[in-house]
Amino acid sequence: MFKPLASVKGVEHLVRVIKKSMSEVIPFLMLFTVLFMGFGLAFYSLFGTQVYEYRNLSTSLMTNLLLLMGASTDVYQQIHEINPTMAPILYWVFISTQVIVLLNVFTAIVIHSYSTLKAEMLREPDVIFKEMMEDLIGQLKEGLHHKSGKRAVVPTHDNSEDGNEDGPTSGELHKPIYPG
């Protein structure tokens, strides 16, 4: 989905931040949707029969979206006239949870992903190369140990030439070999 955008210079970093933050953004969007639907139902059930903007669930959700964007100021006056007790409570709880809390949480998720990605990008190239080489060497060693099972010890020279057929003496060097 982001591949065409990633080819544009400067947008590639933004695409990487979005990809990195998706694992945290998806649960956040689910929470936002549940809360937004809940407030839509609350406004619909309280004011649906008397306020035109809350006549059904879809218009109630649209009106609440417009409230979040600051586009509809006369709606608050209408709902306040109908129910002066619940209107301010529901309105301010809706605005505070949706704008103040959830928007700040979303911003924090994206900023955290950006800072993590930036820290990864700023690491020294030598450090990255060193870590890659250490991982490769570790994998090679591990592969050799798994392949051979046990190490065999063979004398470095043939003892039969020396007349010692009992095997190598304690002072002779041994060379480990890996049967393959």
Side-chain angles (χ1 to χ4, degrees), residues 43 46-47 50-54 73-89 91:
F43 277 96
L46 282 174
F47 309 111
Q50 299 157 335
V51 179
Y52 182 75
E53 285 84 358
Y54 294 111
T73 56
D74 61 331
V75 172
Y76 178 74
Q77 293 170 349
Q78 291 177 12
I79 63 174
H80 190 271
E81 288 173 7
I82 293 169
N83 193 340
T85 306
M86 278 306 290
I89 294 171
Y91 177 80

Side-chain angles (χ1 to χ4, degrees), residues 36-45 48 51-67 94:
F36 193 77
M37 292 290 289
F39 279 109
L41 286 169
F43 277 96
Y44 170 68
S45 64
V51 179
Y52 182 75
E53 285 84 358
Y54 294 111
R55 66 186 176 277
N56 58 32
L57 184 59
S58 63
T59 57
S60 178
L61 292 173
M62 185 57 73
T63 303
N64 283 351
L65 185 61
L66 291 173
L67 282 174
F94 170 70

Side-chain angles (χ1 to χ4, degrees), residues 126-179:
D126 296 337
V127 173
I128 294 171
F129 180 74
K130 181 181 175 186
E131 288 176 358
M132 287 173 42
M133 293 307 292
E134 287 173 354
D135 287 343
L136 180 64
I137 291 170
Q139 289 174 359
L140 287 173
K141 285 181 179 178
E142 188 175 303
L144 289 175
H145 286 300
H146 286 296
K147 193 181 224 185
S148 66
K150 290 185 175 180
R151 292 183 0 179
V153 177
V154 177
T156 56
H157 64 33
D158 188 9
N159 288 334
S160 61
E161 296 173 5
D162 298 353
N164 183 1
E165 296 188 353
D166 294 334
T169 61
S170 62
E172 295 177 347
L173 297 175
H174 294 83
K175 177 173 81 172
I177 62 167
Y178 299 96

Side-chain angles (χ1 to χ4, degrees), residues 95-111:
I95 294 296
S96 64
T97 58
Q98 297 293 307
V99 173
I100 297 171
V101 176
L102 292 179
L103 186 63
N104 284 329
V105 168
F106 177 74
T107 306
I109 289 170
V110 173
I111 288 173

